[in-house]
Amino acid sequence: MRVPVSWLAEYCDPGLEPGDLARRLAMTGTEVERVSGRMGGDPGHFVIGRTLEVGPHPDADRLSVCEVDDGTGTRTIVCGAPNVAAGQSVVVALPGAVMPSGLEIGEAKLRGVLSSGMICSEAELGLGDEDDGILVLGDGPEPGTPATEVLSLDEPVLELEVTPNRPDCLSIYGVAREVHAVTGAELAEPPWDGWTDPGPGEVSELASVRIDDPELCPRFTLRVFTGVEVGESPAWLKDRLVSAGQRPINNVVDVTNYVMLLTGQPLHAFDLDRVPGGELVVRAAIEGEKVETLDGVERELPEGTVVVCDRDGPTAIAGIMGGASSEVSTGTTSVLLEVATWDGPGILKSSRELGLRSEASNRFEKGLHPALASRAQAIASRLLVEVCGGEAVPGMVDEGAGVPEKGSVRLGVGTAARVLGMEIPPATQEESLERLGFEVEAGEAGFSVLVPPDRAFDVTREIDLVEEVARVADLDAALPATLPATSGGGLSREQALRRTAEDAIVAAGFDEAVSWSFTSADSITTLGLDPTGDPRARPVAISNPLSEEQAVMRTTLLTSLVDAASRNLARGTGGVRLFESGRVYLPADGNVEAGGSFPGNRPAPALEPLMLGALASGALVPGDWRGDGVLADFFSLKGVLEQVAGSIGVSIEVVPGAEPFLHPGKAGRVLVDGQDLGWMGELHPSVGSAFGLGPSVAFEVGLDRLVAASPAGQESFVEVPSFPPVERDLAIVIPETVGASEIEAALRKAGGDLLEEVVLFDRYTGEQVGEGLCSLAFSLRFRAPDRTLSDEEVDPLWETIVESIESIGGTIRG
Amino acid sequence: MSVERIGKIEEEAAAAIAGAGDTTELEEARVRFLGRKAELTGILRGISDLDPSERGEVGSAANRAREAIEALVAGRAGELEREELGRSLETDRLDVTLPGSPPRPVGHLHPVTRTRRLIEDVLVGLGYRVVEGPEVEHDYYNFTALNHPEGHPARMLQDTFYVEPSEHLDPSCGSGPMDVLLRTHTSPMQVRAMEDSPPPLFVIVPGKTYRRDSDATHSPMFHQVEGLAVGEGLTLADLKGTLLELLRALFGPDREVRMRPHFFPFTEPSVEFDVSCFRCGGQGELEGGERCGLCKGIGWIELGGAGMVDPNVFGFVSEHGYDPDTVTGFAFGFGVERIAMLRHGMGDLRFLFENDVRMLEQFS
Ligand SMILES: [Zn+2]
């Protein structure tokens, strides 16, 4: 909302610098985005000029060469505006002028023609948004007149950012009341004062309205003005509109816009002669109906859009935009002035469905009180007579459910202090509310407050009144800073363990990625997941994504990690070690507990398990001047995963397993206590190359589940052994197809409780052991908790061990 | 005679031992004076052959001499070893200026994680629990139960990503095109947390949030931390004190907090809060009068939104012990990236999610 300070001052003038007023408003709840409109330099460099001759530029199709009378002589100005023509009154920025943008105007050759000065558009002058043509002034002030005498060039404009609960601040008078409340400066009487609704009269012979659905239209008032002369508005009116950011159109439309800006209540003028019989009907649009709106666009109306119809069908989209068929134009002599109240949510919905927003819809969608219609009729009725030469037909058609009583809300005497933690004296509370337009009656236990129609939707409860007295009370300066008594917070055990695991992978040399939760459907396809069986192939899809690259939610951290890795590798980092700790999003498919359940009565729509993923390519430990490093391969990454799990006391097991995106021979499932936590392995070369990666290893495990398996903090102490062990080494030759973990399991089973530790310390394949076989060397440690073990006790175990190795196809060597 | 001779031997031995220049010479001296063929050894061996009147005197003199010589040998041996060790270490030199050879390179947490943890730690210290909620969320929690009625223009304040209806979503989800969404703030967890635990409740909610917006200061995904405190007698002054503690922990002990009235559907009264600028000390200009670029000359930096929990929100959870007539509460929320960027002087929000290791490795 653009609020020209001079217009505001007509109703309330606090005598503050605009910057100070802006700060004052910001501290009471009305954000001022900026103070604009003030010229950067001397406004005397802007004068009124008259275009004498306009001809084409010899070397540029879209430029015109204009001879302009600036009051002291004729100057040549090159102009690019399409609407420039001879005989126009225009604003000329003379050389030396500084535009609001900071641009300084000088003399310059444009395609070979010397241009001395500039003919300005509204936007260039900081007066509005109109930038597709120069500003043409209608009633022709004398050339040479300082532009400041005609336009508020040197006038500051407050650009307010109005929150959706305050449609009253989308009006000059509403802002004036706010300024009055927060500064105490006097507030002028409302501009609609003295008006009473005229009641029925002859107007009903000329026009009528029927409301088919009163829910959609709580009130519809109309008046008729005859003998109207449509033309340009007087300078004062155009100036007001331009400085408030509205483009002048003609005097009738300008009056409706002016009244809307002043009161916050939108109005709409119909050409009565283009409304057959003057009969209007308000109803919901039916499927397939169309209307051509004032902006010249033919629009198909979504079913349920509220429309104002004449006999031939929709002639305006209620509360959003008028129709071309009943538009007021130069030939109009009779005006039907509609001032109606529409259902806010309905306007919001229709405006969204149509993709059409307007000054009117912006106000209606926030909810306006039916009483406001009378205010707008009051001022517009006067102006249509004064400015447009019309004559008001006696009476006003007034349909709808009538104007509701003012709402009444009680404010307890101690309520504000209870909520704020700060006393505001009752007299101050009363004064604040009255300045804001509330009618206050003080009683024993508090106030009885009547809410003005401007605030009817925003203030309905006691707490709303607390907010009103709080914000006017210079809250920030007066409010103490206290701390509530709390009783012990903390991270949950799971959250603390998660941090430990993350810190462990950082300590293992990995950098943390935090990636988009979005990915493309394509990247999931690239992974080759089974679309029928694998839930990761059924992502949660966004219906209104910003791009195809961000159209679905990731179902695995791998897509994020390969993205980050390939971006880094493309930038020339020799290798990457990246991890991510974050959620993936999987179909719920009736499975409520797998993803970690969240608090609350309704289950989460999707499963969102926390995962820990890592990807490494190149060196895991880079080589240095002392020698080679450690290559990121299956076993070095497995070591990292073991270390991360070990940091929270969890041992993992990796068994052969497959994923379509992994090398079939270098892939495994990660198990903890037999439960599947995820996968690890080398990326399939074709997947790697699809993402621009060389040989890479990766894993992804459920972090929730890893943490759930942790005994951390719950371990019970086992006596440290005090008797010496018996150590023996064992070399076996066994087919390569037998997994090391299978052999270890056999050893442990055979060794029983006395076998304390099994360590594989050598593995060999090659000619010496024969094709398909490998040689493994284990060191075994036996120990009894209560006595020194003798060789004689270990010997029978040894025999069992040898048997068990033989039973899985191995032979003992040496 | 023998006793004098023994004294002489001891003197000679002492001189030889002191004169030994290395362990080899010392060993030679030891053999010479204590070895099997040494004179003193001979004397000791011949004691039994002596006249009984001489045995005691010569025997004890010889034994004393042997012990004295042994002690001298041991002492000199220690000295020589120290000298030789010193000499050998002298030649065993490293170039200590060569680069270290770490067991592994050092990894780095993402600045968003670091900042989030820092915020969590401060608020945990103030007595808050950390709770987490889903990011794919019901409209009910994101809007309706936060006092954004259907058709309320406040729903338009946040440009929302909607989730396509699907049989794969939880059956509690409606099938309308706008029933399921990506949460636009962490606030839905306010309602879930209240459904879950009765008051008094002090929780914070860190997590990812989503808005359909993308430029240097808006990212379609970003992180928020939400705080919610509910109990009897909580006030807006308590909110101010809490924010002051938090902001001082994040931006320095001299910071001040400023609250400006604002509008949020789920708080009443609502405020936006600012921290006094840590670059210019809240003055708006730097030493020498130059305008402060960080706060744009205002002296304050906008950080987030807050307010007293709207009684209508309690109305949605009143059956869980939240009676709007007896409890009050406050809530606050702000962006983690914004805090991280302010603390580290970073410009473009979206760059944070590029995960460029040259960026990641700058933070420890
Ligand atoms: Zn500053």
Side-chain angles (χ1 to χ4, degrees), chain A residues 104-239:
Chain A
E104 191 174 336
I105 301 301
E107 294 203 341
K109 275 195 175 173
L110 287 173
R111 294 280 182 103
V113 177
L114 186 72
S115 176
S116 65
M118 182 170 88
I119 305 178
C120 306
S121 73
E122 275 176 26
E124 284 161 346
L125 290 168
L127 294 175
D129 299 329
E130 198 57 52
D131 61 358
D132 57 3
I134 54 166
L135 174 63
V136 179
L137 301 167
D139 26 6
E142 276 301 299
T145 309
T148 50
E149 286 183 15
V150 182
L151 296 168
S152 311
L153 282 188
D154 52 350
E155 181 200 20
V157 175
L158 305 178
E159 296 193 23
L160 305 187
E161 195 182 312
V162 177
T163 53
N165 59 324
R166 295 299 303 275
D168 60 304
C169 285
L170 294 174
S171 75
I172 299 292
Y173 193 77
V175 174
R177 184 170 36 235
E178 192 70 14
V179 171
H180 162 66
V182 303
T183 65
E186 204 177 327
L187 179 68
E189 291 302 318
W192 53 82
D193 236 24
W195 158 274
T196 41
D197 287 351
E202 292 151 34
V203 64
S204 56
E205 292 160 21
L206 298 175
S208 67
V209 63
R210 189 183 84 226
I211 301 171
D212 279 359
D213 187 346
E215 295 258 308
L216 305 176
C217 180
R219 190 180 188 195
F220 194 114
T221 68
L222 72 81
R223 302 203 74 198
V224 167
F225 300 82
T226 54
V228 172
E229 282 173 45
V230 176
E232 267 186 46
S233 291
W236 70 265
L237 177 53
K238 287 172 79 168
D239 181 41

Side-chain angles (χ1 to χ4, degrees), chain B residues 277-286 292-301:
Chain B
C277 179
F278 51 86
R279 181 163 304 158
C280 63
Q283 299 306 303
E285 57 183 44
L286 305 171
C292 175
L294 185 63
C295 62
K296 301 190 173 60
I298 297 165
W300 295 93
I301 299 169

Side-chain angles (χ1 to χ4, degrees), chain A residues 313-397:
Chain A
T315 186
I317 305 177
I320 300 177
M321 193 174 278
S325 68
S326 51
E327 183 179 3
V328 171
S329 56
T330 328
T332 302
T333 55
S334 296
V335 169
L336 188 165
L337 183 68
E338 164 209 315
V339 186
T341 312
W342 306 103
D343 171 56
I347 296 296
L348 179 67
K349 179 167 176 283
S350 300
S351 147
R352 257 165 73 165
E353 286 172 351
L354 283 161
L356 179 62
R357 286 174 63 81
S358 64
E359 290 287 332
S361 73
N362 183 34
R363 287 169 174 80
F364 281 125
E365 71 185 21
K366 295 175 174 64
L368 297 181
H369 190 277
L372 271 55
S374 305
R375 300 177 177 180
Q377 283 286 12
I379 306 171
S381 293
R382 178 168 59 77
L383 289 178
L384 283 173
V385 173
E386 284 176 16
V387 172
C388 311
E391 196 177 321
V393 175
M396 179 171 87
V397 173

Side-chain angles (χ1 to χ4, degrees), chain A residues 263-294:
Chain A
T263 66
Q265 166 71 50
L267 315 81
H268 182 61
F270 294 88
D271 182 337
L272 180 60
D273 296 329
R274 294 166 75 182
V275 177
E279 293 169 13
L280 294 176
V281 175
V282 173
R283 62 166 171 82
I286 49 181
E287 206 185 329
E289 273 186 307
K290 289 181 183 161
V291 67
E292 187 189 339
T293 42
L294 286 174

Side-chain angles (χ1 to χ4, degrees), chain A residues 31 352 461 464 482 495 498-499 502 511-512 514 517 543-544 571 585 588-589 601-603 605 624, chain B residues 101 108 110 113 117 120 130 132 135 138 162 168 170 178 195 210 212 238 260 310 312 355 361:
Chain A
E31 190 66 47
R352 257 165 73 165
R461 305 163 304 168
D464 302 324
T482 54
Q495 288 159 346
R498 223 189 278 160
R499 284 197 186 183
E502 289 165 354
D511 290 326
E512 186 192 17
V514 173
S517 306
S543 23
N544 55 340
R571 286 174 187 142
Y585 311 85
D589 284 341
N601 289 353
R602 299 186 189 200
D624 59 18
Chain B
S101 185
H108 301 79
H110 194 282
T113 302
R117 285 190 183 184
E120 286 174 358
V130 180
E132 292 152 280
E135 296 161 28
H138 299 267
Y162 288 95
H168 300 302
D170 188 87
M178 286 155 78
E195 287 175 345
Y210 303 87
R212 208 173 171 284
D238 291 330
R260 288 173 286 108
D310 193 294
N312 287 2
N355 297 308
E361 291 177 357

